[in-house]
């Protein structure tokens, strides 16, 4: 019970600190949304039009930073994330709601595939170290050493231009109307193939290497030796004794990766023109869209905290000693 209370207090303080930074950091950026629009239209806006924009965006009110902070908390507690400057007059919640499913579907599934595949391969390679299976590591490490955006460009050049097997970008065929039918889902999967392969190939090596190294460490422990001496099946010793303990660091890494799924892979989404949350964040930064930036960062913060809470629960299940912490 003490462990649970300590973790709750920790996460509450962390959430407050993250939300406060979420408020402060965008306001430290030079410029403002109106100035961004003036630059975009290259001085074609009149003085009256500029003043109207300040009023429209609510930037004509000379509030102190402290007053803005309390206003921000008040709106946040009421579930109001504000109006997006870049997508005016669309609410921030609506912009995020439209982009988030794309990122979760693509990056989330790709991350899960990477973790599962990397952990399984790392388990077998670590258990059978010194065999031909070690040859998998240099291949996967090569792909992970290539920047993922460069890997994406190579895949576009090969599989979308030279061999037109997959589309070069976008979330779905522009001629289709979004609907829950076979044609639209097939188009979405076809457009997501190249970015998904890029994410998996660029990240799976890290999961393989970390699990392999932990397996090498764990297999030398006494409890693994005793299990083998009892004559237990090799599969039982490998998974129930060695892998169960070796996977603990993977749980932490997976929790963080899962938490950052909502942030997407910004450059990857730009390379493939994918309509995810990362692309929306890029648009918000260019337009100095404080409400949208804050909304996206807030969603990222909450998702990371939730992922870490889940990781703590999984830790308690896998390692009962955690319950006796402190």
């Amino acid at each position: 019970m003490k462990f649970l209370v300590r973790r709750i207090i920790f996460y509450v303080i962390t959430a407050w600190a993250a939300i406060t930074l979420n408020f402060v950091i965008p306001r430290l950026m030079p410029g403002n949304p109106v100035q961004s629009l003036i630059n975009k239209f290259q001085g074609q806006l009149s003085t009256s039009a500029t003043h109207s924009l300040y009023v429209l965006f609510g930037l004509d009110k000379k509030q102190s930073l402290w007053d803005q902070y309390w206003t921000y908390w008040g709106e946040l507690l009421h579930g109001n994330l504000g109006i997006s400057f870049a997508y005016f007059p669309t609410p921030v919640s609506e912009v995020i709601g439209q982009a988030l499913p794309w990122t979760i579907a693509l990056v989330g599934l790709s991350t899960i595939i990477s973790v599962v595949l990397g952990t399984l391969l790392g388990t077998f390679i670590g258990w059978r170290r010194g065999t031909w299976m070690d040859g998998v590591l240099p291949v996967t490490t090569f792909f992970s050493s290539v920047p993922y955006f460069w890997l994406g460009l190579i895949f576009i050049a090969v599989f979308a231009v030279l061999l037109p097997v997959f589309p070069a970008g976008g979330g779905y065929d522009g001629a289709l109307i979004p609907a829950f039918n076979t044609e639209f889902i097939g188009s979405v999967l076809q457009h997501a193939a190249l970015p998904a392969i890029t994410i998996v190939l660029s990240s799976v090596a890290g999961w393989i290497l970390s699990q392999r190294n932990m397996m090498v460490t764990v297999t030398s422990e006494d409890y693994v030796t005793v299990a083998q001496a009892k004559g237990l099946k090799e599969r039982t010793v490998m998974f129930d004794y060695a892998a169960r303990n070796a996977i603990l660091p993977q749980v932490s890494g997976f929790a963080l990766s899962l938490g950052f799924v909502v942030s997407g892979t910004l450059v990857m989404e730009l390379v493939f023109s994918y309509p995810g949350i990362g692309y929306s964040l890029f648009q918000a930064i260019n337009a100095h869209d404080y409400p949208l930036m804050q909304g996206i960062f807030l969603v990222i913060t909450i998702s990371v905290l939730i992922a870490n809470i889940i990781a703590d629960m999984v830790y308690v299940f896998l390692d009962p000693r955690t319950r006796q912490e402190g």
Side-chain angles (χ1 to χ4, degrees):
M1 187 65 182
K2 290 181 180 180
F3 170 78
L4 181 61
V5 172
R6 281 198 302 269
R7 300 309 291 175
I8 290 175
I9 294 174
F10 168 77
Y11 285 121
V12 168
I13 295 174
T14 303
W16 168 80
I19 292 173
T20 300
L21 288 173
N22 185 28
F23 167 81
V24 172
I25 291 176
R27 285 164 175 77
L28 296 179
M29 295 175 59
N32 58 59
V34 176
Q35 189 62 47
S36 178
L37 285 174
I38 292 173
N39 295 337
K40 181 179 179 180
F41 288 98
Q42 299 178 350
Q44 297 178 8
L45 296 176
S46 64
T47 304
S48 58
T50 301
H51 177 71
S52 298
L53 286 173
Y54 275 104
V55 175
L56 191 63
F57 290 152
L59 300 176
D60 59 322
K61 301 173 183 178
K62 301 299 181 181
Q63 281 186 310
S64 66
L65 193 63
W66 183 251
D67 290 336
Q68 292 179 44
Y69 180 68
W70 283 110
T71 302
Y72 172 69
W73 267 104
E75 296 292 338
L76 190 62
L77 293 175
H78 285 87
N80 182 16
L81 299 178
I83 302 296
S84 171
F85 297 158
Y87 299 90
F88 186 85
T90 309
V92 168
S93 57
E94 187 174 331
V95 175
I96 294 176
Q98 291 173 352
L100 196 56
W102 291 97
T103 295
I104 291 177
L106 173 64
V107 187
L109 290 176
S110 300
T111 301
I112 292 173
I113 291 172
S114 297
V115 174
V116 173
L117 182 62
T119 301
L120 287 176
L121 286 175
T123 299
F124 283 108
I125 293 173
W127 184 258
R128 301 182 182 278
R129 62 188 181 277
T131 64
W132 64 269
M133 295 191 71
D134 281 334
V136 175
L137 281 175
V139 178
T140 56
T141 303
F142 168 76
F143 283 109
S144 67
S145 63
V146 179
Y148 60 87
F149 61 88
W150 184 246
L151 195 62
L153 290 173
I154 293 174
F155 283 160
I156 290 174
V158 175
F159 297 107
V161 179
L162 186 62
L163 303 172
V165 180
F166 297 105
Y172 57 91
D173 190 343
L176 297 177
I177 298 176
F180 194 74
N181 55 48
T182 305
E183 187 179 10
F184 179 74
I185 293 174
S187 177
V188 169
L189 293 176
Q190 189 178 22
H191 282 74
L194 284 185
I197 294 172
T198 301
I199 295 172
V200 171
L201 287 180
S202 62
S203 60
V204 72
W207 299 108
I208 294 175
L209 190 60
S210 59
Q211 180 69 6
R212 185 257 183 197
N213 291 342
M214 284 303 301
M215 282 293 292
V216 171
T217 302
V218 168
T219 50
S220 62
E221 295 291 338
D222 292 339
Y223 57 83
V224 175
T225 304
V226 171
Q228 291 173 322
K230 287 181 178 180
L232 296 177
K233 293 181 180 179
E234 183 182 17
R235 184 184 182 87
T236 301
V237 178
M238 180 171 61
F239 285 107
D240 293 351
Y241 286 81
R244 180 169 180 171
N245 289 278
I247 203 174
L248 291 176
Q250 299 283 88
V251 173
S252 296
F254 176 63
L256 290 174
S257 299
L258 202 59
F260 282 108
V261 158
V262 297
S263 65
T265 309
L266 175 59
V267 180
M268 185 275 297
E269 290 186 358
L270 293 178
V271 168
F272 289 97
S273 301
Y274 197 78
I277 202 74
Y279 185 75
S280 297
L281 178 60
F282 176 75
Q283 297 280 54
I285 292 172
N286 281 341
H288 297 281
D289 190 344
Y290 303 146
L292 183 54
M293 280 190 281
Q294 289 174 166
I296 292 174
F297 291 148
L298 179 64
V299 172
I300 294 172
T301 300
I302 293 174
S303 63
V304 171
L305 291 177
I306 292 175
N308 276 274
I309 292 173
I310 295 173
D312 282 341
M313 295 179 180
V314 174
Y315 254 105
V316 170
F317 172 74
L318 292 176
D319 189 358
R321 293 173 298 178
T322 310
R323 305 170 196 166
Q324 304 171 7
E325 181 184 303

